[in-house]
Amino acid sequence: MKKAYFPVIFSIFLCSLFLMSTELNAQGCVAVRPMSCSGNGYSNGSALLPKGHFQLAANYRYFQSYKHFRGDVEEHERVEAGTEVINTTHSVDFSATYALTSQVNLSLNVPLIYNHRTSLYEHYGNSPTANPEQKRFATQSQGLGDMRLSASYWLFKQGKDSLGNIAFGAGLKMPTGNSNVQGTFHRRTPSGGDSTITKGVDQSIQLGDGGFGFTIEMQGYRKFGSRLSLYYNAFYLFNPQNVNKTVNRTVFNSASDYIIRYHSIADQYMARVGMNFKIMENQGLFVNLGGRAEGIPYKDIIGKSEGFRRPGYIVSVEPGVTYFSGKHTFVVNVPIALYRNRVKSVYDRSDPNVTRHGDAAFADYLINFTYLFRFGKSHDM
């Protein structure tokens, strides 16, 4: 039985490494792209499947970001003045997992994304002088995001008396999402009329990041009796490439602004840990409560970190409900933000006066709904 505790201790240690790496400098909500762990990373861990079985899953994610932070300080005046940027995102991450053996899984993740963004500053401007009527205009993006192939390995064979398990995985992220979506931006003419230009939409609503990357991940669980269990999962996305071809701006104010001429291809991470409690002994209904951290570091672990990015991170409490019924699983999780921090980027840190610090908009909560279906014919090991 002592072996069952090893996955818990080791995985919590790994979670700590994920969260402590690169000064814990990860991203707020708006640019964290869909990147589910193998088997969709639902609250009881990844897919524990018999050899030859499949798991199909769909994860719907929604959030609306509009509260601006510079560091961990909220700029309340943006909402009060009506100059906030509002990003609304709907995404569905489809995944298929196949069990080569009872311990080895192969997974494919395919995200479909819809983003809608409204702002003043990208068009006429925020000031009453430039934008007397405080007109707000919209840009959007929709389509396929960055797909991912991954493999995971469960350390222990599953049995009726198993109290816990842990899986480690690795994946390849492919730049299938458009990283240079173009949008229409409005300009106010000297006579008060309207003109438009076409250029790349904001990085936060681009469908992809434009580079190949690879992920490492882990996930697992530990049972405590028949009704209580611990779950945990985490991943880190390494993006070794520096920048993509999307131009961030065409006018440069100083020599240092060339650092952010193009969009950065940034690393990304996520970690979750929590508890499941079975409501009734003979039913498949669980309530779960946990914590979640996700974001983008200011500096990548591998390769250069030039280009425009909004690094930062968000820490949330994550209540939810999980229901099992035969081959079907339904999961609803609603991470609620407890702490948000838009840290300084490489560009911010290049300021010789040490005063530059960009902002970012964060959401108050996310809505995650996951449906999983398992099927297949078992084979002997």
Side-chain angles (χ1 to χ4, degrees):
M1 294 296 180
K2 290 183 179 180
K3 288 185 178 180
Y5 288 95
F6 172 75
V8 180
I9 296 171
F10 190 49
S11 61
I12 290 175
F13 170 71
L14 281 178
C15 269
S16 300
L17 288 181
F18 282 134
L19 292 176
M20 291 172 64
S21 65
T22 60
E23 298 181 47
L24 230 184
N25 291 341
Q27 181 346 50
C29 62
V30 295
V32 175
R33 309 184 194 284
M35 191 68 60
S36 297
C37 289
S38 296
N40 234 46
Y42 66 93
S43 59
N44 286 301
S46 179
L48 270 167
L49 299 172
K51 180 181 178 180
H53 277 221
F54 289 87
Q55 175 179 276
L56 302 180
N59 171 249
Y60 167 76
R61 185 177 190 231
Y62 162 84
F63 69 83
Q64 185 176 82
S65 61
Y66 67 98
K67 290 188 175 179
H68 288 256
F69 283 77
R70 204 176 301 270
D72 61 359
V73 178
E74 183 179 353
E75 298 181 325
H76 298 278
E77 65 274 12
R78 294 294 299 274
V79 174
E80 294 169 359
T83 62
E84 77 278 17
V85 177
I86 303 173
N87 277 15
T88 303
T89 293
H90 302 268
S91 66
V92 180
D93 185 10
F94 296 98
S95 68
T97 300
Y98 175 70
L100 285 177
T101 72
S102 61
Q103 292 175 264
V104 179
N105 291 340
L106 297 178
S107 296
L108 172 67
N109 294 87
V110 182
L112 298 178
I113 307 167
Y114 171 79
N115 296 306
H116 183 269
R117 176 182 174 89
T118 68
S119 68
L120 281 70
Y121 88 93
E122 293 174 298
H123 304 275
Y124 287 1
N126 286 346
S127 73
T129 302
N131 191 356
E133 298 176 350
Q134 295 290 279
K135 286 187 177 181
R136 178 180 290 270
F137 296 94
T139 51
Q140 64 182 32
S141 62
Q142 57 186 346
L144 178 67
D146 289 342
M147 296 169 57
R148 189 166 64 96
L149 284 169
S150 60
S152 59
Y153 175 73
W154 288 97
L155 292 187
F156 307 108
K157 291 184 178 180
Q158 193 69 8
K160 293 182 179 179
D161 299 325
S162 298
L163 295 179
N165 211 333
I166 182 172
F168 294 95
L172 172 67
K173 187 267 297 177
M174 298 163 286
T176 53
N178 188 354
S179 61
N180 193 20
V181 176
Q182 299 289 297
T184 300
F185 294 82
H186 295 258
R187 296 291 182 264
R188 191 168 183 265
T189 64
S191 62
D194 181 74
S195 65
T196 61
I197 61 172
T198 300
K199 63 177 183 176
V201 299
D202 188 80
Q203 185 184 48
S204 64
I205 64 169
Q206 292 290 346
L207 298 174
D209 60 30
F212 283 93
F214 64 95
T215 61
I216 57 172
E217 59 192 68
M218 68 87 185
Q219 53 217 295
Y221 70 96
R222 172 65 168 88
K223 294 180 181 178
F224 300 93
S226 60
R227 298 172 70 174
L228 185 66
S229 62
L230 170 74
Y231 67 86
Y232 40 90
N233 55 61
F235 81 87
Y236 194 96
L237 166 64
F238 298 87
N239 265 322
Q241 293 172 261
N242 189 24
V243 297
N244 59 36
K245 297 181 180 180
T246 304
V247 176
N248 177 48
R249 62 174 68 179
T250 57
V251 178
F252 302 96
N253 299 321
S254 66
S256 65
D257 282 3
Y258 281 90
I259 296 175
I260 56 170
R261 182 174 183 177
Y262 300 103
H263 286 176
S264 179
I265 303 176
D267 286 4
Q268 179 176 322
Y269 70 79
M270 184 275 291
R272 300 169 64 237
V273 61
M275 301 295 295
N276 285 325
F277 180 75
K278 195 172 187 179
I279 298 297
M280 298 183 68
E281 188 69 34
N282 297 321
Q283 293 185 355
L285 182 63
F286 292 77
V287 294
N288 51 277
L289 181 65
R292 178 188 187 105
E294 58 185 319
I296 288 178
Y298 89 91
K299 190 175 183 180
D300 295 345
I301 292 178
I302 301 173
K304 294 183 179 180
S305 303
E306 297 173 345
F308 177 78
R309 72 171 73 182
R310 296 187 185 93
Y313 60 97
I314 182 168
V315 179
S316 307
V317 61
E318 188 175 27
V321 177
T322 303
Y323 178 67
F324 296 91
S325 178
K327 299 179 180 180
H328 309 275
T329 303
F330 303 87
V331 185
V332 179
N333 290 318
V334 184
I336 301 169
L338 297 179
Y339 182 77
R340 290 158 280 195
N341 193 335
R342 199 296 202 182
V343 302
K344 286 189 174 186
S345 64
V346 169
Y347 172 66
D348 292 334
R349 294 164 192 249
S350 70
D351 178 19
N353 298 318
V354 199
T355 58
R356 185 164 54 212
H357 193 158
D359 72 325
F362 291 83
D364 283 330
Y365 63 90
L366 309 177
I367 296 176
N368 284 298
F369 172 74
T370 303
Y371 167 70
L372 304 105
F373 176 71
R374 301 181 180 191
F375 64 95
K377 183 178 180 180
S378 296
H379 301 283
D380 294 333
M381 296 296 293

